[in-house]
Amino acid sequence: MQLAIRADGGPEIGYGHLVRSNALVEEVLARDHEVSVATTTPQPARSVFPNAVDIIELPYRDDPEPFVDLLKTDPPDAVFTDSYPIDTEYQRAIRDQVPLAVLQDDDRHAVCADLFVNGNLYAADFEYEFVGQEPKPCLGTDYVLLRSEIRNRATDEPPWREQPERALVTMGGSDIADLMPTVVRAFDGVDIHVDAIVGPGFSEAQERSIYAAAEEISADVAVARDPNNLVERMLQADFAVSTSSSTTYELLALGTPIVSVPVVDNQEPIAQSLRERDVAIVLEREADIEAFRCAIDQYISTPELRQERDIFGRQLVDGRGIERVYAEVLSVAENDL
């Protein structure tokens, strides 16, 4: 199979789409297939995807013509898209050329595709509109795309400590809301080791402000930029503070209890789903330092809550979503051969 990926990401719009797409890329390459990535954000894409992937730069996010021209010149067996500007007409233009699998987090666009993927907790809650023949649906956390480092550790038993010793703070690839210094300061007075993770999209000014916050407080804070052992730190954490982003599913798969806060509109459905399922401490978008302190204290003082969240999280996300999505994408590609 020759698969083309259409995805964008970076410091301004977040890295989630690239990271999810790379999970599929890893699986495709592991099965000895070929894959290319067409993107309007080539530099962030090169930082996420393996060197074996051909990165093709596109001039426009929402104009399908340059990408469709590529498909006409060298048609792949299938296309997989994960980008909000890929609207109905963009999808139709692709599908007129090759089989199409669309990953879409909501119902903002009517879907025109052969395969439709939404691996979110809330995926089944929407009333989707379809154009043309209805696609095969892959809805819910059975189809969440997780990178290989997470999948490889999802079956490990997380450490259990009655009295928590380690916490982790991560805003994902970038800190769009400049929230990390506030969260770090919320640990002041807490006898715990805190891993404060600086993502690849953080600016140098943001990193400096995090170091400054860490120096102001009594907690043992280790600031690390894009560490190669991030997954181990996530697994070892007694709880984590994170945005309501795709990182949520990584933490659930590892059994790490979460303090979750949405920072942009498209994270609100994840936050609401976490609330409804009582699987995380979920704060409001405008949460201040006191709100974070209360959430941190709740996990520290309630070990049974952390244990419940550990078990429920791993039940919700088993880490095998990529295998299921890969099989469906392959089926779509092979049916057109």
Side-chain angles (χ1 to χ4, degrees), residues 160 252 255 257 277-280 299 302-315:
W160 168 249
L252 290 173
R277 290 164 174 79
D278 194 25
V279 72
Y299 272 143
T302 319
E304 60 271 18
L305 178 62
R306 287 187 285 112
Q307 197 163 44
E308 290 171 3
R309 298 278 165 82
D310 169 353
I311 295 169
F312 193 18
R314 288 185 290 154
Q315 289 174 343

Side-chain angles (χ1 to χ4, degrees), residues 260-271:
S260 181
V261 58
V263 296
V264 291
D265 289 346
N266 60 24
Q267 293 179 7
E268 290 288 355
I270 296 178

Side-chain angles (χ1 to χ4, degrees), residues 138-273:
C138 297
L139 305 179
T141 53
D142 280 349
Y143 298 98
V144 66
L145 303 184
L146 299 176
R147 51 201 170 109
S148 59
E149 297 98 325
I150 299 293
R151 302 197 306 272
N152 293 340
R153 302 303 300 273
T155 57
D156 291 358
E157 190 68 24
W160 168 249
R161 292 180 281 262
E162 184 86 11
Q163 181 64 32
E165 299 175 3
R166 302 183 66 94
L168 180 130
V169 180
T170 173
M171 301 294 112
S174 57
D175 189 4
I176 297 171
D178 287 322
L179 194 57
M180 179 81 82
T182 299
V183 177
V184 169
R185 290 187 177 97
F187 282 91
D188 191 24
V190 180
D191 183 16
I192 198 168
H193 174 86
V194 181
D195 284 317
I197 305 303
V198 178
F202 283 55
S203 69
E204 291 183 3
Q206 286 178 315
E207 186 172 2
R208 287 195 298 270
S209 69
I210 295 164
Y211 273 104
E215 291 175 358
E216 294 173 10
I217 67 173
S218 61
D220 174 27
V221 181
V223 181
R225 176 177 279 274
D226 199 19
N228 56 17
N229 65 341
L230 174 57
V231 175
E232 180 65 24
R233 297 183 192 220
M234 295 169 77
L235 184 67
Q236 292 298 323
D238 294 291
F239 63 92
V241 183
S242 178
T243 54
S244 306
S245 59
S246 56
T247 304
T248 298
Y249 299 108
E250 298 184 342
L251 293 167
L252 290 173
L254 295 173
T256 307
I258 310 168
V259 176
S260 181
V261 58
V263 296
V264 291
D265 289 346
N266 60 24
Q267 293 179 7
E268 290 288 355
I270 296 178
Q272 183 60 29
S273 293

Side-chain angles (χ1 to χ4, degrees), residues 20-204:
R20 287 191 304 203
S21 297
N22 188 52
L24 180 58
V25 166
E26 290 173 335
E27 189 72 9
V28 170
L29 293 176
R31 308 276 185 154
D32 294 325
H33 300 297
E34 297 179 5
V35 61
S36 61
V37 173
T39 181
T40 62
T41 55
Q43 185 172 346
R46 290 189 179 96
S47 73
V48 172
F49 294 105
N51 292 333
V53 174
D54 185 20
I55 305 294
I56 303 166
E57 183 174 1
L58 297 175
Y60 314 110
R61 292 192 73 199
D62 54 1
D63 181 358
E65 186 173 352
F67 183 50
V68 170
D69 287 343
L70 291 172
L71 299 179
K72 291 177 180 178
T73 302
D74 185 17
D77 297 310
V79 168
F80 178 88
T81 68
D82 184 359
S83 181
Y84 287 132
I86 309 297
D87 62 11
T88 309
E89 292 309 310
Y90 201 130
Q91 295 170 24
R92 192 200 306 270
I94 296 173
R95 197 184 191 191
D96 285 344
Q97 302 300 319
V98 296
L100 173 62
V102 169
L103 190 155
Q104 187 171 293
D105 289 322
D106 51 33
D107 58 355
R108 70 181 62 197
H109 305 306
V111 176
C112 180
D114 301 282
L115 180 69
F116 174 52
V117 181
N118 184 344
N120 285 288
L121 287 161
Y122 55 81
D125 298 340
F126 286 114
E127 294 184 6
Y128 303 101
E129 181 181 352
F130 301 107
V131 175
Q133 184 175 350
E134 188 168 322
K136 172 72 179 292
C138 297
L139 305 179
T141 53
D142 280 349
Y143 298 98
V144 66
L145 303 184
L146 299 176
R147 51 201 170 109
S148 59
E149 297 98 325
I150 299 293
R151 302 197 306 272
N152 293 340
R153 302 303 300 273
T155 57
D156 291 358
E157 190 68 24
W160 168 249
R161 292 180 281 262
E162 184 86 11
Q163 181 64 32
E165 299 175 3
R166 302 183 66 94
L168 180 130
V169 180
T170 173
M171 301 294 112
S174 57
D175 189 4
I176 297 171
D178 287 322
L179 194 57
M180 179 81 82
T182 299
V183 177
V184 169
R185 290 187 177 97
F187 282 91
D188 191 24
V190 180
D191 183 16
I192 198 168
H193 174 86
V194 181
D195 284 317
I197 305 303
V198 178
F202 283 55
S203 69
E204 291 183 3

